[in-house]
Amino acid sequence: MELNTIESHGIGAAAERSAGTDRTAKKVFVKTYGCQMNVYDSQRMTDALAADGYVATDAVEDADLVLLNTCHIREKAAEKVYSELGRIRDMKTERAEAGRELLIGVAGCVAQAEGAEIIRRAPAVDLVIGPQTYHRLPDVLARVRGGEKIVETEYAIEDKFEHLPQPKHAELARRGVTAFLTVQEGCDKFCTFCVVPYTRGSEVSRPVAQIVAEAERLAEAGVREVTLLGQNVNAWHGVGENGEEWGLGRLLFRLAEIPGLARLRYTTSHPRDMDDELIAAHRDLPALMPYLHLPVQSGSDRILKAMNRRHTARDYLALIERIRAARPDIAMSGDFIVGFPGETDEDFEATLKLVREVGYASAFTFKYSPRPGTPGAEMDGHLSETVKDERLQRLQALINDQQQNFIASVVGRTISTLIEKPGRRPGQILGRSPWLNPVIVDDKAGGIGDIIDVRITKTGPNSLFAELV
Ligand code: 5AD
Ligand code: SF4
């Protein structure tokens, strides 16, 4: 899966506020692991539970239901979930002694991959629910309260998005001026290192009308920037409003027409699905931000083949050339795996060479982690942790240099900034550059949701300091 990995807590401070004075409402604490799609899913699960009378909370001690929305992309991600479950089990035991119930649920990709095994290994867990069945959460909870333990990991036949309730306008407005919107889920590419095709299932695109309606609702609630999400977002396709088959490029042209939506992004893409219309969208749509996350994983053709990426290093470089011809100021980002089985020093050097040729504004680097059930795990030539560590450090050093060069190149320039929220210090406000860097500006610069031009005066490690022009 090619979405950036993050970890965040508590979807919920606000929902608590919006619940007003209802102190009897049941409370849910959601902890999100993994990629932006999980962030989006956590929000939609919270919405489904709100319809069932649950209020979100940021304080795990207040919760009646703890939901871990998990990630299975690398080993550590799953292990973290089990250690977190140990802590929550202790809380559940204390609660039971005090005569109060605590329900524990595991959702997301670990839930899908491990299923009933989770309850065997962590018997305190009450429910396990895979990513395709979140709309069934209220039903599942009702059965859990009736004393059952539930494992719900079927790929549902019905469209979960159609069954998931939409949040209220006020709730959307409260969530801020940027939003995620899942347009596509699952993956048919079967890269040999990756569990996504097994945990998220095969590729499914949401219909155009559903996406446009959701984007319109977001815009009406004051959202200025929407990031379209998909494990393989540029494989999205659907029948357009004109009856023709649309790809992601055409969809972006349509979304750019929605009043109020000033910025569009999408993540994450596969090089093989970057078609002409998507490149044209980068050329012709000012709303489409000049930043592209386009993972390549390795610069060695031998390894790319073993990874089943189905393109060469040269194909990738030629593609970037075409994209840069269409949008010269585009900043590139990527994902890299070091230490794939059989990777030689020479293969690794080829990766460094590719990175030098592209010049990334940012990139994510990972040590190969064998995932059970994937072809990579069965291959010969697994490398030692020492070799993986050493390669990771060298690659990271190179990418850090490039990242520093990139942000240094912005100093002195005037750039557009979307103001997102108050800054950490009084008198400051926090914005976002077209390339996703945090921008710190004087709070007289504008209000939340404004897009303003600022001049960059200096940089921090990843953030930009700016003055009004
Ligand atoms: N080991 C290491 N990194 C992985 N990724 C996916 N699967 C693995 C794995 N088994 C990385 C890829 C992907 C990103 C989201 O995570 O680089 O693009
Ligand atoms: Fe995983 Fe490859 Fe699909 Fe990305 S394209 S989600 S890395 S199988």
Side-chain angles (χ1 to χ4, degrees):
M1 105 159 304
E2 299 189 329
L3 297 168
N4 307 342
T5 305
I6 49 173
E7 187 177 317
S8 63
H9 303 244
I11 273 255
E16 185 140 34
R17 241 171 285 138
S18 64
T21 52
D22 183 3
R23 300 212 168 274
T24 58
K26 292 168 289 182
K27 294 197 174 126
V28 56
F29 174 87
V30 184
K31 181 165 177 175
T32 309
Y33 299 81
C35 64
Q36 292 98 327
M37 190 171 288
N38 267 7
V39 174
Y40 177 85
D41 282 346
S42 289
Q43 216 129 50
R44 299 300 298 263
M45 280 194 275
T46 311
D47 297 336
L49 290 167
D52 199 36
Y54 276 93
V55 164
T57 176
D58 267 349
V60 65
E61 357 22 288
D62 291 346
D64 303 285
L65 167 64
V66 174
L67 259 187
L68 304 184
N69 192 9
T70 61
C71 171
H72 203 236
I73 197 87
R74 284 170 296 273
E75 208 140 21
K76 276 197 191 131
E79 283 313 309
K80 269 193 204 161
V81 171
Y82 280 109
S83 63
E84 183 72 19
L85 282 173
R87 279 193 290 276
I88 303 167
R89 175 202 55 210
D90 296 344
M91 251 179 75
K92 183 172 179 147
T93 315
E94 283 166 28
R95 283 283 183 86
E97 282 160 8
R100 199 178 142 206
E101 192 178 44
L102 175 65
L103 299 179
I104 306 178
V106 178
C109 294
V110 176
Q112 187 66 41
E114 305 251 296
E117 176 63 20
I118 296 178
I119 295 184
R120 266 194 292 279
R121 211 172 137 180
V125 170
D126 299 286
L127 66 117
V128 174
I129 187 162
Q132 306 312 327
T133 40
Y134 292 154
H135 54 292
R136 296 192 191 148
L137 252 179
D139 282 351
V140 166
L141 275 169
R143 283 159 62 199
V144 166
R145 276 187 232 103
E148 280 179 78
K149 295 235 178 212
I150 310 280
V151 178
E152 176 84 67
T153 51
E154 292 297 303
Y155 294 115
I157 320 145
E158 69 269 24
D159 173 4
K160 72 171 170 191
F161 293 109
E162 246 174 54
H163 291 81
L164 279 167
Q166 286 287 345
K168 299 220 161 57
H169 182 92
E171 174 56 21
L172 278 182
R174 188 204 55 75
R175 287 179 189 171
V177 294
T178 61
F180 293 134
L181 199 176
T182 293
V183 299
Q184 179 280 338
E185 255 195 282
C187 183
D188 295 338
K189 292 279 189 296
F190 290 92
C191 300
T192 54
F193 53 82
C194 188
V195 283
V196 167
Y198 312 96
T199 57
R200 289 273 172 172
S202 53
E203 259 171 45
V204 178
S205 292
R206 287 178 73 187
V208 172
Q210 233 185 54
I211 296 167
V212 170
E214 191 165 327
E216 282 172 349
R217 286 172 56 88
L218 291 168
E220 278 158 21
V223 168
R224 306 300 313 277
E225 173 178 307
V226 168
T227 303
L228 307 182
L229 298 181
Q231 265 91 27
N232 226 329
V233 72
N234 59 347
W236 178 90
H237 60 98
V239 178
E241 290 152 336
N242 56 359
E244 285 169 19
E245 183 72 11
W246 286 8
L248 188 70
R250 188 67 190 77
L251 180 68
L252 285 161
F253 278 97
R254 172 66 184 88
L255 296 177
E257 290 169 7
I258 296 175
L261 282 193
R263 286 179 158 198
L264 296 169
R265 304 178 184 277
Y266 61 92
T267 199
T268 284
S269 298
H270 192 288
R272 281 181 59 105
D273 294 317
M274 287 301 301
D275 64 12
D276 291 343
E277 192 154 32
L278 188 49
I279 296 175
H282 280 287
R283 185 190 58 213
D284 298 338
L285 282 179
L288 185 54
M289 291 292 99
Y291 177 93
L292 178 61
H293 184 67
L294 193 63
V296 62
Q297 316 295 356
S298 168
S300 151
D301 288 345
R302 222 174 55 79
I303 296 298
L304 287 169
K305 190 154 197 293
M307 286 176 163
N308 191 31
R309 294 288 292 181
R310 294 183 288 163
H311 61 77
T312 61
R314 185 180 296 204
D315 294 335
Y316 180 79
L317 292 168
L319 174 61
I320 290 187
E321 217 166 276
R322 280 169 59 217
I323 297 166
R324 281 186 168 148
R327 185 76 209 233
D329 65 339
I330 202 156
M332 294 303 306
S333 159
D335 289 341
F336 292 90
I337 297 178
V338 300
F340 187 78
E343 187 187 70
T344 61
D345 281 334
E346 215 181 346
D347 293 319
F348 177 63
E349 289 300 330
T351 298
L352 296 176
K353 180 162 171 276
L354 177 141
V355 171
R356 283 191 208 101
E357 275 177 56
V358 172
Y360 286 92
S362 76
F364 301 89
T365 50
F366 308 102
K367 282 192 284 182
Y368 173 70
S369 151
R371 309 314 294 134
T374 62
E378 308 298 319
M379 286 179 187
D380 294 333
H382 283 266
L383 301 181
S384 69
E385 282 305 298
T386 324
V387 171
K388 290 188 204 171
D389 280 329
E390 193 251 335
R391 288 183 187 167
L392 186 72
Q393 277 179 23
R394 284 182 62 199
L395 180 57
Q396 269 175 348
L398 175 60
I399 283 166
N400 282 345
D401 280 353
Q402 295 193 339
Q403 200 161 324
Q404 288 316 306
N405 289 344
F406 176 77
I407 64 170
S409 75
V410 184
V411 175
R413 284 175 56 191
T414 297
I415 66 165
S416 102
T417 299
L418 168 61
I419 300 188
E420 288 184 0
K421 54 186 170 199
R424 274 204 209 122
R425 305 230 176 95
Q428 287 183 341
I429 197 151
L430 199 67
R432 186 78 53 178
S433 81
W435 315 285
L436 290 173
N437 317 87
V439 182
I440 297 151
V441 205
D442 196 298
D443 69 0
K444 288 187 272 303
I448 289 171
D450 290 347
I451 294 173
I452 54 165
D453 279 342
V454 296
R455 190 172 15 250
I456 304 304
T457 53
K458 60 175 184 175
T459 65
N462 181 44
S463 46
L464 303 170
F465 291 84
E467 63 185 19
L468 266 174
V469 284

